[in-house]
Structure formats: structure tokens, C-alpha cells
Amino acid sequence: MNLVVLQNWLDNASFAILFLTMLVYWGGAAFPNLPYLAALGTAGMAIANLCMATLLGARWIEAGYFPLSNLYESLFFLTWGITTVHLIAESSSRSRLVGVVTSPVAMLIAAFATMTLPSQMQASEPLVPALKSNWLMMHVSVMMLSYSALMVGSLLAIAFLVVTRGQNIQLQGSSVGTGGYRSNGYRLHKAAELIPQPSAPSAENNGFARFETTSNGNGNGNTAVLGLVTTTPIQNPQDASLSEIQNSEPLSPQRLNLAETLDNISYRIIGLGFPLLTIGIIAGGVWANEAWGSYWSWDPKETWALITWLVFAAYLHARITRGWQGRRPAILAATGFVVVWVCYLGVNLLGKGLHSYGWFF
């Protein structure tokens, strides 16, 4: 079998499958009553993951070295890592929204590698002397897997901000530190007692309290209404209508549950990617000392790897030690998404350094 032809077929097939999978996930989000779309999206991601793994394996056999020496190979390895982390995150969260945010990114990366890169950059070439080392597999593969995990975790944090519309809400069970828990106890009030107690902060229950009113005059047929809790007392509680309370609801319970799931799984995925990033940086320092005689030379790639490490270290420190949860760490993770891309691709496209092998400049 001609391995070059197989690779050309597999990279195009990976892009096509990821494109269709993205449409399936978006269709599932638009029409949630079609349950088979979720299974179809998961199957599409798994097939694309298998195609890219086969592509990388064929590349490995053809070239005789681990396929992470140029931009084309690293892009497909990154996409394979994103689809792998996606399958883990989707299995853990049971949420189809994971695919809504990860599938377009994976598809765009595959499209860039397949359709944008010139053919000479897609062809495998002999390794330069500095890359002829077993550290190529150890350092670069771990770094790429860390990028994949951090990107997926950051994308889920961005999805959290979209779902919550950027509001500052309290969540339950997403952080280990103090303040990372939301009280789920709702206060019940009769129809004549629609005054939220000012002593309870609105953030305690995401601004919600459950009010009880009656459907008829004799007190039968009680119904509970979820309304917004404010710290400002209502001057005329008898004049407060039920529709005013309902219209003040900032987020539905479904959105809160979804936001809690996204926040939790984002935290866990970033917690997986950060140790991989740490191991990759350490392995890179050992390899640099072996190849260039220095553990750290402040190369642009090294500098941005350190910045990436500091951003996600701050994220985990804020969640574990400071008890941050919700909007603030999500904004920090969203910033980390940009930093990861600058570290992975930006410094190689815009600057020159010791890590410019097989790239544009």
C-alpha cells in the first residue's frame, strides 16, 4: 500500500468527518429533542480520532521517526489530542455542548493543515540534527497533549461564560477551596410574604428564591414559583405581581445545571493539562541542555511556555486556594486559550528562534 496516498486520503477524510460532526453537534443543540444526534456526534468524533491516529501511524512508518517534526504533523497530532480529550470530557459530563465548542476548533485545525499548508510543508523530510533524539517523542508529544487538554478546558470555560451570559453566579462542588459551593436550599414563602429577607445575599442561591402562592382563594392548589432574590426590600409587597417576580429571573435552573457541569469539567480538564505542561517544560529543559548546553535560553517559545504555565497556575491557585469559581476563573481560562495559541503557533509564525524547525519562518 502506498503510505503517501493513504495519508492524503486520511487527512481529507478527517476534515470531512469533523465538518459533518460539527454540523451534527450544532443540530443537536438546536433540536435537543432528537436524541440520536448526540450518539451520532460522539461516533463522528471517534471515527475522526481513529482516522488521525492511523494517519500519524502511517506517517511514522513512512518517515521512520515519531511524526512531530513539522507544522503539518503537529497540527494533526494536536487535533487528535483535542478529539481524545473531547471524548473523555463528553463521557464525564454527559453533555452534548462539549462537542458544540470543540468540534469547530478541531475542524478548523484540520482544514488549515489539509488545505492551507503548501505541499512541501506537508511532505515528511529528514530530521535536522537537533531533533534526532528520543526526547522528540517525550517532550513534544507531552507538550502537544497538554495544549490539547488546556484548549478543551478553556473552550468549556468560554462556553460557561456564554451559557451564564457573563453573570457572576455561585456554583456547587466545582472547587476544593473555600467559597466554591452554592447553597441549594430555596426559601418558601406564602403569597402574602413575597418579601425576600434582606439578610441573605442574592449570590447565595444565584439570585433565586422559591415563593409559594395559591391558585384559589381557599388556599388549595399551592404552586412554587422561582423568583429573583434582591437585597432591596419591596416597598409594597402586596402590589408585587407574580409576573414581575418571574420576569426578574436571570437564569433558568437548566442553565444553572448546565453551567455547573461546564465549570466542573473545565476545571478537571485544565487540571489534567497543567501537569502535562509542567512535565513537558521540564523534559524540554533537559533536552535543551543535551542539545544546546543550556537548560533555559529565553527563546520565544520557552518564554511563552512559561507565560502559559503561569496563567494556568494562577487559574488552579485561584480555584484551589482562593476558592474562586464561576465567572472569574472562566475569564482567566479564556485568556489562557489565547496564550496557548500564541505559545503553540504565534511565536513560530511571527518570530524566529530555536524552535522554528519546519515552520513558516
Side-chain angles (χ1 to χ4, degrees), residues 219-277:
N220 296 326
N222 292 335
T223 58
V225 179
L226 193 64
L228 176 64
V229 177
T230 63
T231 56
T232 304
I234 301 175
Q235 299 298 327
N236 296 313
Q238 300 296 336
D239 297 335
S241 64
L242 186 62
S243 61
E244 290 174 347
I245 298 172
Q246 289 175 314
N247 291 335
S248 64
E249 177 180 331
L251 291 175
S252 66
Q254 291 79 9
R255 276 180 175 261
L256 289 176
N257 291 332
L258 179 58
E260 196 161 25
T261 299
L262 291 173
D263 183 78
N264 200 340
I265 197 65
S266 171
Y267 172 52
R268 294 174 184 273
I269 294 297
I270 291 176
L272 171 66
F274 182 76
L276 292 175
L277 179 65

Side-chain angles (χ1 to χ4, degrees), residues 22-324:
M22 179 191 68
L23 296 181
V24 169
Y25 275 115
W26 287 3
F31 304 99
N33 295 327
L34 301 176
Y36 64 88
L37 289 180
L40 191 60
T42 303
M45 274 290 189
I47 294 172
N49 181 276
L50 181 61
C51 287
M52 287 179 286
T54 306
L55 166 65
L56 294 171
R59 189 90 169 185
W60 195 350
I61 295 173
E62 178 207 356
Y65 56 82
F66 194 70
L68 274 176
S69 63
N70 60 22
L71 179 58
Y72 175 82
E73 295 168 352
S74 69
L75 284 171
F76 268 105
F77 192 91
L78 177 68
T79 311
W80 175 82
I82 289 175
T83 56
T84 301
V85 176
H86 160 87
L87 293 173
I88 296 173
E90 189 174 60
S91 175
S92 301
S93 65
R94 304 292 181 185
S95 174
R96 70 179 65 184
L97 191 60
V98 176
V100 173
V101 294
T102 58
S103 58
V105 174
M107 186 272 296
L108 289 173
I109 297 174
F112 178 70
T114 304
M115 302 178 180
T116 304
L117 293 182
S119 57
Q120 61 269 23
M121 293 191 66
Q122 298 184 18
S124 59
E125 298 178 354
L127 291 176
V128 297
L131 294 181
K132 293 180 179 179
S133 171
N134 292 329
W135 286 104
L136 173 65
M137 180 187 299
M138 173 63 184
H139 166 63
V140 183
S141 63
V142 173
M143 289 296 293
M144 298 303 296
L145 289 175
S146 72
Y147 292 158
S148 301
L150 295 175
M151 283 182 184
V152 172
S154 300
L155 284 171
L156 295 177
I158 295 172
F160 168 85
L161 293 174
V162 173
V163 168
T164 60
R165 299 195 288 267
Q167 298 184 26
N168 191 20
I169 64 174
Q170 291 288 103
L171 301 171
Q172 180 180 10
S174 296
S175 288
V176 180
T178 305
Y181 298 92
R182 169 169 60 89
S183 172
N184 285 323
Y186 295 103
R187 296 193 298 278
L188 291 172
H189 297 271
K190 294 292 180 73
E193 301 174 350
L194 293 179
I195 307 176
Q197 299 181 7
S199 60
S202 60
E204 178 185 352
N205 292 306
N206 298 315
F208 289 98
R210 190 179 296 277
F211 300 103
E212 187 178 87
T213 184
T214 57
S215 58
N216 52 47
N218 55 13
N220 296 326
N222 292 335
T223 58
V225 179
L226 193 64
L228 176 64
V229 177
T230 63
T231 56
T232 304
I234 301 175
Q235 299 298 327
N236 296 313
Q238 300 296 336
D239 297 335
S241 64
L242 186 62
S243 61
E244 290 174 347
I245 298 172
Q246 289 175 314
N247 291 335
S248 64
E249 177 180 331
L251 291 175
S252 66
Q254 291 79 9
R255 276 180 175 261
L256 289 176
N257 291 332
L258 179 58
E260 196 161 25
T261 299
L262 291 173
D263 183 78
N264 200 340
I265 197 65
S266 171
Y267 172 52
R268 294 174 184 273
I269 294 297
I270 291 176
L272 171 66
F274 182 76
L276 292 175
L277 179 65
T278 304
I279 295 172
I281 292 175
I282 294 173
V286 176
W287 187 14
N289 183 64
E290 181 182 292
W292 301 316
S294 174
Y295 287 99
W296 195 269
S297 57
W298 294 105
D299 179 73
K301 192 81 164 183
E302 296 173 349
T303 303
W304 277 96
L306 177 61
I307 293 173
T308 304
W309 189 91
L310 290 174
V311 168
F312 287 101
Y315 171 90
L316 293 175
H317 172 76
R319 298 205 64 142
I320 297 173
T321 304
R322 304 294 298 175
W324 283 19

